[in-house]
């Protein structure tokens, strides 16, 4: 591990997660905020990143040229939008740095482009960066494997704040994928995303998703495994966005000396099977 602090770039610096990342970098050892980036034309370009995040001036002025920031940084922390993340992935590959992706709602095509950047960058991507959620995913896979689909039904329930634009959440899909692995099935062919009207009986072996939106909820996730006369519930509650920021920064530090490739938080946490 290098003794010099890792130089990190925050993209989407003016957003809720961007500001949380800036504050968390300031509070953690081994990292330093190298640059902060916003989209061209943003009213926040030219502002002091520390002041915007409530820390007071830190001398890092928000810019709109990600490549220039990446070329002199060591890692980028990215919780933006799918289209922006695909662009950042290409630039991170060009700069051959670490790219930590917490962006959700990516299409299969966008995911492939992000994964391809791992030929030159060290990409760590996860639907959720927290230790607790990734442990929940491992437990969900184990429970799904232990409780057969012929007798036990799986439902993933999630709730987020009213501003969230994608559904189901990246975390819900992470948990659904874990359940599908446990069952030895393909999630895409066995997921039920909505129910309305006369739906008929629940098909055996499917994994259902229920999505709730409202207020300022940061993230509530539960996996319900329902059998005859009993329900097993595995759940996680996020009380502060800093849990995702700390996880993302830990992922960047972990990937700092790794070979180019595409990794997950399970790799970072040593939980990959």
């Amino acid at each position: 591990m290098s003794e010099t602090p890792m130089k990190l770039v925050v993209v989407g610096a003016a957003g809720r997660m961007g500001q949380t990342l800036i504050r968390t970098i300031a509070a953690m050892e081994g990292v330093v905020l190298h640059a902060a980036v916003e989209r061209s034309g943003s009213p926040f370009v030219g502002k002091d990143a520390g002041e915007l995040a409530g820390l007071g001036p830190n001398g890092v002025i928000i810019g709109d040229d990600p490549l220039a920031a990446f070329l002199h940084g060591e890692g980028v922390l990215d919780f933006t939008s799918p289209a922006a993340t695909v662009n950042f992935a290409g630039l991170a590959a060009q700069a051959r740095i670490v790219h930590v992706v917490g962006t959700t709602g990516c299409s299969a095509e966008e995911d492939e482009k992000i994964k391809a950047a791992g030929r030159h960058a060290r990409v760590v991507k996860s639907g959720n960066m927290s230790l607790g959620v990734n442990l929940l995913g491992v437990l969900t896979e184990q429970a799904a494997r232990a409780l057969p689909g012929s007798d036990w039904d799986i439902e993933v329930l999630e709730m987020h704040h009213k501003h969230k634009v994608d559904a189901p959440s990246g975390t819900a899909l992470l948990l659904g994928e874990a359940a599908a692995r446990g069952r030895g099935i393909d999630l895409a062919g066995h997921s039920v995303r909505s129910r309305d009207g006369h739906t008929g009986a629940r098909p055996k072996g499917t994994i259902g998703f229920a999505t709730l939106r409202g207020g300022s909820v940061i993230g509530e996730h539960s996996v319900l495994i329902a059998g005859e006369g009993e329900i097993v519930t595995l759940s996680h509650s996020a009380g502060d966005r800093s849990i995702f920021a700390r996880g993302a920064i830990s992922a960047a530090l972990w990937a700092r000396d790794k070979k180019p490739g595409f990794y997950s938080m399970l790799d970072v946490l040593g939980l990959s099977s």
Side-chain angles (χ1 to χ4, degrees), residues 76 84 89-90 235:
V76 54
S235 63

Side-chain angles (χ1 to χ4, degrees), residues 92-172:
Q94 197 173 331
R96 297 177 185 268
I97 61 173
V98 173
H99 185 194
V100 178
V101 180
T103 302
T104 59
C106 297
S107 67
E109 183 181 3
E110 288 163 336
D111 273 331
E112 283 304 313
K113 290 178 180 177
I114 296 164
K115 191 175 293 186
R119 289 196 291 267
H120 300 294
R122 284 144 284 159
V123 181
V124 182
K125 185 177 187 296
S126 178
N128 193 297
M129 292 286 169
S130 88
L131 171 59
V133 161
N134 282 280
L135 177 60
L136 177 61
V138 173
L139 296 174
T140 297
E141 181 176 348
Q142 292 175 341
R145 184 177 294 119
L147 302 172
S150 57
D151 299 317
W152 295 79
D153 302 316
I154 298 176
E155 295 283 317
V156 181
L157 173 65
E158 58 108 338
M159 182 169 185
H160 282 83
H161 54 85
K162 60 188 174 184
H163 301 292
K164 188 167 179 61
V165 297
D166 58 305
S169 70
T171 303

Side-chain angles (χ1 to χ4, degrees), residues 3-103:
E3 293 182 5
T4 58
M6 185 176 185
K7 297 186 291 185
L8 297 177
V9 179
V10 173
V11 292
R16 286 187 295 271
M17 268 307 301
Q19 293 181 49
T20 301
L21 287 163
I22 291 167
R23 290 192 294 270
T24 307
I25 289 170
M28 286 182 68
E29 293 184 2
V31 290
V32 63
L33 180 64
H34 169 69
V37 177
E38 262 295 336
R39 67 185 186 282
S40 182
S42 165
F44 299 103
V45 173
K47 306 286 186 182
D48 186 285
E51 196 163 32
L52 181 64
L55 295 171
N58 63 4
V60 177
I61 304 303
I62 297 174
D64 60 3
D65 185 350
L67 182 57
F70 292 8
L71 286 173
H72 296 97
E74 294 177 89
V76 54
L77 306 178
D78 179 2
F79 289 75
T80 57
S81 67
T85 291
V86 168
N87 180 52
F88 293 139
L91 298 178
Q94 197 173 331
R96 297 177 185 268
I97 61 173
V98 173
H99 185 194
V100 178
V101 180
T103 302

